[in-house]
Amino acid sequence: MIFDRKNLDNDTLVSFYKKLLLPRMVEEKMLILLRQGRIGKWFSGIGQEAIAVGSTLAMADDEYILPMHRNLGVFTTRNIPLSRLMAQWQGKPSGFTKGRDRSFHFGTQEYKIIGMISHLGPQLALADGIALADVLSNQKKTTLVYTGEGATSEGDFHEALNIAAVWNLPVIFLIENNGYGLSTPTNEQYHCAQLVDRAIGYGMEGRRIDGNNILEVYHTITDIKNSIRENPRPVLLECMTFRMRGHEEASGTKYVPQNLMEWWSAKDPLANYEKYLLSQRALLPEWIPLIRKEFTTLIESEFEKVYNEADIVPDINTEVEDMYHPYNFPAAQPAATPATTKRYIDAISDGLRQGMRKYPNLVIMGQDIAEYGGAFKITQGFVEEFGKGRVRNTPICESGIVGAGMGLAINGYKAIVEMQFADFVTCGFNQIINNLAKTHYRWAQAVDMVVRMPTGAGTGAGPFHSQSNEAWFTKTPGLKVVYPAFPADAKGLLLAAIEDPNPFIYFEHKYLYRSISGEVPDNDVLIEIGKANIVQQGTAASIITFGLGVHWALEYTAKHPDQPLEIIDLRSLLPWDKEAVEASVKKTGRALVLHEDTLTSGFGAEIAAHIAEHCFKYLDAPVMRCGSLDTAIPMNKALEDQFLAKARLEETVEKLLAY
């Protein structure tokens, strides 16, 4: 192993040695504690510390790093107190996640580190969003994100690199090629000669270096960082190393050939760097035991201090409240005047435009939304007013763009991501369910983001463009879900979602875009999330619905004026207005839950269950549901009409009233 100190003096070289030694000694202690049963699990980075330490040393303290779960050296090099790290590993209150997540699955704005989720690849797109925020705010910074050679097989790897290349984002994508994904060797992970060759396909620079050489890592990252700060662009860096222990300790290493272990043992990054410093007389032999003793004392004292801390006392209210970032709806709203008659689609566009004007840090992203104005022309003219920096056409990659939106939110921006159709959200499902929704609960980071979902049937668009898929999200704590039925609500709920610093799923019904109009305040009047609207008063029965279902209910009651039905438009589904529903059902004694989604496991089942549990003694009939058929949505109009819940609404109401 050849070390090139370049312009580094002896004191700096020794400081690097200490940074390299500390995580190794911490790990050795953790392995002992694991065997003693004093900690639960450990993912070892022994043998590959030079990558984490060398790269972190090269980055400025105010530049974001997104590490993996073997990169203890990132955290120690950023000088996070060992007591906080050990509290995190032991699930103590003073850790970063209040015992809610383990090892390195956390982030910290204080140290500009954003930890991974177990799905590996999604963090790569977050780095894109973080870097985009720096570019938009004219900050000459670099973002560093790690991945393993195994995770390069995921689609998220491709999406993130492609986005960064297309947008010229200053991101260093660092691959720790440590030979194995759990027990799967590299020859079963990819077929190219070397992973860095993939850079060519994205039109980006790629480098391959010895990841066990701390000086080579440091100088390479320094060179790349300084270059892309001035000339923003992504770089792919493959660092060759080896994992000297199992995927986690229970896995062992029996699947690794002994000769391979011996070859890499000779390339130990700590031992080789120590020999180099001794040869340079930058480090004297008698210093080594003194440094080790100092670290041993520190590690022992920090561990025992945390080990003796009181354990977490579970509290239900704390757990529930921490799912969401605190937000108080404004106590007073401006008068809703003047008002203009607008179509549903124009009300949404109006809300987006006002949000963009109010918040210079709000960015809208989606397929074809810039010059073309989006598939439904909702953002037509936005580029001319706000510029392509804030109204961004995206590649076709829902997961990467949702992740980039989250990265923007992490780095001080607001993000709106448009799904061209709600059906396409499946391609970004992991980012929404496991990243957006859980982040505040895990480490108190707000994710100020809205995902717009053009949804629903009635246009003959078939199985892949017509689903009303709100139930996929209403069972996911951490998200807020809204579904307006009228133009004024569409604008007011959208503006409220933009204001609220939590992740929103905003459903907008395609059939309603140009089919209904109504009075819409010209100013920015917000509608409180979680508050239903009594669309029509009645006494015979309560119809609880939302979205297009509200219009079906109104159409039905217009044809049956002799039936005084009360219509409750929920507007918000997560949270939903239990008090309004209960009050209505207690008044009428009968309840029908109507929705466009399939009957089985539709959101209406949750409402019906709540009514049955909390309003049973007030009911004069069973709670009834009216939903669409338990099939995919057909394209043919006659088949689609048969599929939709509207086809069974009349008979269900008559059954309810006749009971």
Side-chain angles (χ1 to χ4, degrees), residues 128 155-164 396-401 427:
D128 287 343
D156 285 286
F157 174 83
H158 163 75
E159 292 190 16
L161 267 66
N162 190 52
I163 292 167
I396 301 176
C397 54
E398 285 78 9
S399 180
I401 295 306
C427 299

Side-chain angles (χ1 to χ4, degrees), residues 486 489 531-536 567-571 577 580:
F486 298 99
D489 291 344
K531 294 296 181 182
N533 181 34
I534 302 176
V535 176
Q536 179 174 291
I567 301 174
I568 305 294
D569 175 8
L570 288 176
R571 301 195 293 194
D577 195 342

Side-chain angles (χ1 to χ4, degrees), residues 327-390:
Y327 172 73
N328 294 318
F329 188 79
Q333 285 293 303
T337 54
T340 304
T341 300
K342 287 187 172 72
R343 298 178 301 175
Y344 184 94
I345 191 169
D346 298 323
I348 295 170
S349 182
D350 198 26
L352 287 173
R353 193 180 296 274
Q354 288 187 8
M356 291 287 279
R357 288 171 179 166
K358 183 173 183 179
Y359 292 105
N361 66 334
L362 176 59
V363 176
I364 303 177
M365 301 185 290
Q367 296 162 28
D368 306 300
I369 68 164
E371 292 86 352
Y372 188 71
F376 302 100
K377 303 300 183 183
I378 286 178
T379 53
Q380 194 163 37
F382 277 43
V383 164
E384 289 78 2
E385 181 173 353
F386 304 110
K388 292 202 69 172
R390 296 179 59 205

Side-chain angles (χ1 to χ4, degrees), residues 414-418 436 447-452 494 496-500 502-506:
K414 288 176 173 283
I416 295 177
V417 171
E418 176 186 302
L436 268 62
V447 182
D448 197 346
M449 182 172 168
V450 178
V451 181
R452 287 182 44 230
L494 179 57
I498 292 170
E499 291 280 334
D500 189 327
N502 287 287
F504 272 79
I505 309 297
Y506 175 89

Side-chain angles (χ1 to χ4, degrees), residues 542-609:
S542 302
I543 298 180
I544 300 101
T545 186
F546 53 90
L548 187 55
V550 178
H551 299 278
W552 292 339
L554 286 170
E555 182 180 332
Y556 173 84
T557 57
K559 293 178 180 177
H560 300 83
D562 57 318
Q563 299 174 359
L565 299 172
E566 183 150 294
I567 301 174
I568 305 294
D569 175 8
L570 288 176
R571 301 195 293 194
S572 296
L573 307 184
L574 185 63
W576 62 281
D577 195 342
K578 298 179 177 67
E579 292 78 13
V581 169
E582 289 177 18
S584 178
V585 172
K586 288 175 182 178
K587 180 174 73 171
T588 67
R590 287 176 165 82
L592 171 69
V593 184
L594 169 67
H595 58 69
E596 183 178 339
D597 193 10
T598 54
L599 183 66
T600 299
S601 297
F603 184 63
E606 173 65 25
I607 302 169

Side-chain angles (χ1 to χ4, degrees), residues 65-335:
I65 301 177
L66 293 83
M68 297 284 278
H69 55 295
R70 301 187 196 285
N71 298 130
L72 171 60
V74 171
F75 298 85
T76 56
T77 303
R78 278 273 163 100
N79 297 315
I80 295 180
L82 285 182
S83 59
R84 289 211 68 190
L85 291 174
M86 291 179 173
Q88 173 66 23
W89 304 333
Q90 295 176 58
K92 295 285 187 173
S94 58
F96 288 92
T97 65
K98 300 182 182 179
R100 293 166 181 161
D101 217 332
R102 65 185 186 186
S103 64
F104 298 110
H105 296 300
F106 69 91
T108 162
Q109 287 286 9
E110 182 180 359
Y111 297 96
K112 291 293 182 281
I113 296 173
I114 308 301
M116 57 175 288
I117 64 171
S118 293
H119 302 69
L120 304 180
Q123 70 179 25
L124 295 163
L126 270 61
D128 287 343
I130 290 170
L132 175 60
D134 286 335
V135 170
L136 293 175
S137 54
N138 297 312
Q139 304 265 2
K140 291 187 176 181
K141 293 181 180 180
T142 301
T143 302
L144 172 64
V145 59
Y146 293 74
T147 192
E149 84 289 334
T152 65
S153 300
E154 294 187 307
D156 285 286
F157 174 83
H158 163 75
E159 292 190 16
L161 267 66
N162 190 52
I163 292 167
V166 171
W167 289 353
N168 289 315
L169 299 175
V171 181
I172 301 173
F173 295 99
L174 190 157
I175 303 171
E176 289 184 298
N177 192 338
N178 62 19
Y180 284 85
L182 209 160
S183 69
T184 305
T186 53
N187 67 302
E188 295 181 27
Q189 288 285 0
Y190 56 87
H191 194 57
C192 50
Q194 49 191 24
L195 286 171
V196 72
D197 292 340
R198 294 185 175 182
I200 300 169
Y202 302 104
M204 69 171 67
E205 177 185 351
R207 299 193 197 181
R208 192 184 204 221
I209 64 172
D210 181 355
N212 282 19
N213 185 325
I214 186 172
L215 296 186
E216 187 173 352
V217 173
Y218 171 79
H219 291 308
T220 302
I221 296 285
T222 299
D223 290 345
I224 295 172
K225 177 194 68 175
N226 291 338
S227 176
I228 67 178
R229 277 176 176 170
E230 298 300 324
N231 179 20
R233 67 194 189 280
V235 173
L236 182 64
L237 178 65
E238 182 179 11
C239 296
M240 305 306 295
T241 185
F242 199 74
R243 172 160 50 79
M244 297 304 295
R245 303 193 68 85
H247 171 74
E248 38 81 35
E249 288 307 301
S251 304
T253 57
K254 290 184 178 180
Y255 52 83
V256 181
Q258 185 59 34
N259 65 322
L260 193 58
M261 291 290 290
E262 292 171 355
W263 191 85
W264 278 102
S265 294
K267 290 176 64 64
D268 181 282
L270 178 61
N272 280 284
Y273 186 56
E274 185 176 278
K275 290 177 185 176
Y276 168 72
L277 295 184
L278 291 170
S279 72
Q280 295 286 301
R281 296 194 60 77
L283 179 69
L284 299 180
E286 57 267 28
W287 295 354
I288 297 173
L290 297 175
I291 296 170
R292 284 183 168 269
K293 182 178 180 181
E294 177 188 350
F295 284 165
T296 298
T297 302
L298 173 67
I299 293 166
E300 292 287 346
S301 64
E302 292 287 277
F303 176 78
E304 292 302 329
K305 178 173 67 177
V306 173
Y307 190 77
N308 292 321
E309 279 185 11
D311 288 328
I312 289 172
V313 178
D315 179 76
I316 290 176
N317 289 334
T318 299
E319 294 300 289
V320 172
E321 289 172 2
D322 282 357
M323 280 308 310
Y324 296 92
H325 188 78
Y327 172 73
N328 294 318
F329 188 79
Q333 285 293 303

